[in-house]
Amino acid sequence: MSNGTDGKVRGSGNGLALAIIACCQLMVVLDVTIVNIALPHIQTALGFSTESLAWVVNAYTLTFGGLLLLGGRTGDILGRRRVFIFGVLLFGLASLLGGCAQNEGQLLAARALQGIGGAIASPTALALITTTFREGPQRNRAFGVFAAVSAGGGAIGLLAGGILVEWLNWRWVLFVNVPIALAIAVLGRRVLRESERHPGHFDFAGALLSTLGMVSLVYGFIRASQEGWTDGLTLGSFAAAVVLLSLFVVNERRSPQPITPLHMFADRNRAGTYGIMLFLACAMFGMFFFLTLFVQNVLGFSPLRAGLAFLPISVVIAAGAGITSQLLPKFGPKPFMVTGALCAASGLAWLTQTDVHSTYLGSILGPMLLFGIGMGMQFVSLTLTALSNVRDRESGAASGLLNTMQQVGGSLGLSILVTVFGTASRNEAKQQVPAFLGVANPEQKALFLRTGQLPDPWGDLVLTSGVSSAFVVAAAFTLVAALIALFVIQVRPSDLARLQGTHAPTAV
């Protein structure tokens, strides 16, 4: 492999380097949804409630999102290849521990450790693109691949999870990461070029405050779904979140080298991009979570069939990302951001019509494809805009901030949607429980009193009511993203020139 005079990797090494980076991102991103497909089996095996089951997802995404900025900063200071490999290996170790878990606590601890590994590996992977590929068409294509993997990884994870759960068992959705992580680490050490180290220190206080603040906020929403909004622990969690996140902002303002460089928000387009990513992730994580439960529990799909049901969305996401990456230099990111958000909102609005009589072909496939096209447009546009015109020494922080918005938005959105789901489900249950008790035999009544779970068709009506209500709020999230894209994002001549590779870099 030869290096050009500008330090960018050239030749055949480019393709292999991109493949390694994309595989890492795919492993990290799909781990959210590959576990989703196994949730009903995990719930049965380890005794989770429906509301607490969300923590199997949130334990990962919260530590991932909360520590992404520290991970990106670590790569800038210690060298991105070195940090990238360490994060990948830690992710593999945590996956091994999670697959061996024997109770709720062990699984949640392993998922949190996975999040730490992902937070170290993912932002350095994205930053490695900026130090490997020339700005312009070459980097646009690389970002297009990265964005397609980021957006489509969720659907791929559902398919892979379905295959593993169907043919083996739920533990293999975690075990499968171990050989993949080892392969990425070995190849990455040989192929990826080490980046220049930049002097600095680690903002551990900022990382701790941001992570604890988000955990408190998410726990407050999930607690509210179980115990109500007036519960003392619910209110205490929200109060703690306000205090911790306020201290985080104060810390970032005073720190000479903050984990969140606030000047990143000075650029109007970059700030708007972060906001769009936050709201889109709020909707996307919830869509995968609730549709996975719906197709398995209401439509009766097996894990494998459920995974196959989500395969079309990964295809349209990849297609949308590929087309968008080709057209961006001509039109700029704004048209794709607005159109993509509106497509996603339309798909989610369509999903609000799901009920116990819905079918996959008649009610699920169409809105999924519409949502996927929108997300394919969005992820390429957001990635390029967020990392455009950033100093090389801060590319890790910039990429970490974008990934943070995705993961924190996903955790926060899922917790809000779980709260909406819980409230709507309880209201529907008040109507269905008397109907069930009126026709149930003594054995059915005894089982209900012991488990608290309504059998079908009453249970399906409760679940569907909650899912439909959650999609209403998810659609609202994507509409907010569309409004940000419409009124905040600007297409400047210098941005188009940079996308075309004809503008000299001038970092801010």
Side-chain angles (χ1 to χ4, degrees):
M1 176 177 61
S2 62
N3 294 339
T5 56
D6 60 353
K8 309 301 183 192
V9 180
R10 294 181 179 176
S12 61
N14 257 356
L16 186 54
L18 181 58
I20 293 169
I21 293 169
C23 282
C24 172
Q25 183 68 1
L26 179 63
M27 180 181 70
V28 170
V29 170
L30 66 74
D31 208 71
V32 177
T33 53
I34 197 174
V35 171
N36 269 7
I37 206 75
L39 287 177
H41 299 267
I42 293 173
Q43 184 175 19
T44 301
L46 301 183
F48 283 88
S49 68
T50 300
E51 284 85 358
S52 64
L53 197 62
W55 280 105
V56 178
V57 177
N58 285 332
Y60 175 74
T61 55
L62 277 175
T63 51
F64 189 12
L67 297 175
L68 271 167
L69 295 172
L70 183 62
R73 182 66 175 155
T74 302
D76 291 340
I77 295 174
L78 299 182
R80 290 171 192 147
R81 186 186 67 176
R82 179 181 293 103
V83 171
F84 171 80
I85 292 172
F86 174 77
V88 167
L89 291 175
L90 181 61
F91 188 92
L93 173 62
S95 299
L96 178 63
L97 296 175
C100 296
Q102 299 300 311
N103 55 52
E104 291 184 34
Q106 291 177 4
L107 179 60
L108 295 182
R111 290 287 285 163
L113 187 61
Q114 272 188 305
I116 295 173
I120 295 171
S122 184
T124 50
L126 183 54
L128 280 167
I129 290 181
T130 65
T131 56
T132 302
F133 298 91
R134 286 177 175 274
E135 191 170 46
Q138 186 185 81
R139 190 179 293 181
N140 294 348
R141 287 191 294 271
F143 277 140
V145 172
F146 190 92
V149 166
S150 298
I156 296 171
L158 292 171
L159 174 60
I163 293 172
L164 292 169
V165 172
E166 185 86 5
W167 293 352
L168 298 170
N169 60 53
W170 68 265
R171 297 182 183 277
W172 281 93
V173 303
L174 297 167
F175 286 148
V176 71
N177 292 323
V178 178
I180 297 174
L182 290 174
I184 292 173
V186 171
L187 291 174
R189 183 174 180 81
R190 293 187 176 189
V191 174
L192 297 177
R193 173 179 171 271
E194 184 58 277
S195 64
E196 179 185 353
R197 297 190 192 184
H198 300 284
H201 73 276
F202 301 106
D203 182 13
F204 290 112
L208 183 63
L209 288 169
S210 63
T211 303
L212 292 178
M214 287 308 305
V215 169
S216 298
L217 184 60
V218 168
Y219 180 76
F221 279 111
I222 293 179
R223 178 80 182 182
S225 72
Q226 297 172 321
E227 305 297 335
W229 292 95
T230 59
D231 174 70
L233 194 52
T234 299
L235 297 175
S237 297
F238 285 130
V242 171
V243 172
L244 289 167
L245 293 176
S246 297
L247 289 174
F248 168 71
V249 173
V250 172
N251 179 82
E252 299 309 279
R253 288 183 176 275
R254 294 180 176 178
S255 175
Q257 294 183 350
I259 192 174
T260 306
L262 297 182
H263 67 265
M264 291 285 183
F265 294 91
D267 182 275
R268 174 177 178 151
N269 281 355
R270 190 176 299 118
T273 294
Y274 293 148
I276 294 169
M277 177 62 86
L278 180 75
F279 283 101
L280 287 178
C282 284
M284 183 176 67
F285 279 53
M287 188 209 73
F288 283 125
F289 181 85
F290 288 111
L291 273 187
T292 302
L293 294 178
F294 181 83
V295 298
Q296 292 190 77
N297 295 340
V298 178
L299 298 185
F301 284 17
S302 67
L304 177 57
R305 191 180 178 192
L308 289 171
F310 286 96
L311 183 58
I313 195 173
S314 64
V315 175
V316 297
I317 286 174
I323 295 171
T324 301
S325 65
Q326 296 296 317
L327 297 177
L328 267 172
K330 181 177 181 180
F331 298 103
K334 181 170 182 173
F336 301 101
M337 289 183 181
V338 175
T339 304
L342 291 177
C343 285
S346 300
L348 290 168
W350 191 349
L351 285 172
T352 63
Q353 304 304 306
T354 53
D355 57 31
V356 293
H357 304 294
S358 295
T359 63
Y360 173 73
L361 291 177
S363 308
I364 305 299
L365 180 59
M368 275 204 316
L369 294 178
L370 190 57
F371 182 86
I373 291 172
M375 295 307 294
M377 293 182 185
Q378 283 283 2
F379 270 76
V380 179
S381 307
L382 294 173
T383 303
L384 280 167
T385 304
L387 293 177
S388 176
N389 208 25
V390 175
R391 295 186 183 97
D392 181 68
R393 68 174 181 270
E394 291 185 332
S395 60
S399 61
L401 192 53
L402 181 65
N403 274 312
T404 295
M405 292 299 165
Q406 180 182 350
Q407 299 303 323
V408 170
S411 295
L412 183 59
L414 182 57
S415 66
I416 293 172
L417 296 178
V418 165
T419 303
V420 173
F421 168 85
T423 302
S425 296
R426 283 194 300 272
N427 291 337
E428 182 66 22
K430 291 177 182 178
Q431 302 179 36
Q432 298 304 327
V433 169
F436 162 71
L437 294 176
V439 299
N441 59 42
E443 291 79 9
Q444 290 175 320
K445 291 180 180 179
L447 181 62
F448 171 70
L449 292 175
R450 186 170 70 253
T451 64
Q453 300 294 318
L454 285 169
D456 298 336
W458 301 278
D460 285 350
L461 289 168
V462 172
L463 178 66
T464 304
S465 176
V467 168
S468 179
S469 298
F471 283 137
V472 172
V473 179
F477 287 146
T478 52
L479 283 176
V480 173
L483 291 174
I484 296 174
L486 184 62
F487 293 108
V488 176
I489 301 299
Q490 294 178 331
V491 179
R492 299 166 294 205
S494 59
D495 297 324
L496 292 176
R498 191 173 292 108
L499 290 170
Q500 294 164 4
T502 61
H503 190 283
T506 54
V508 294

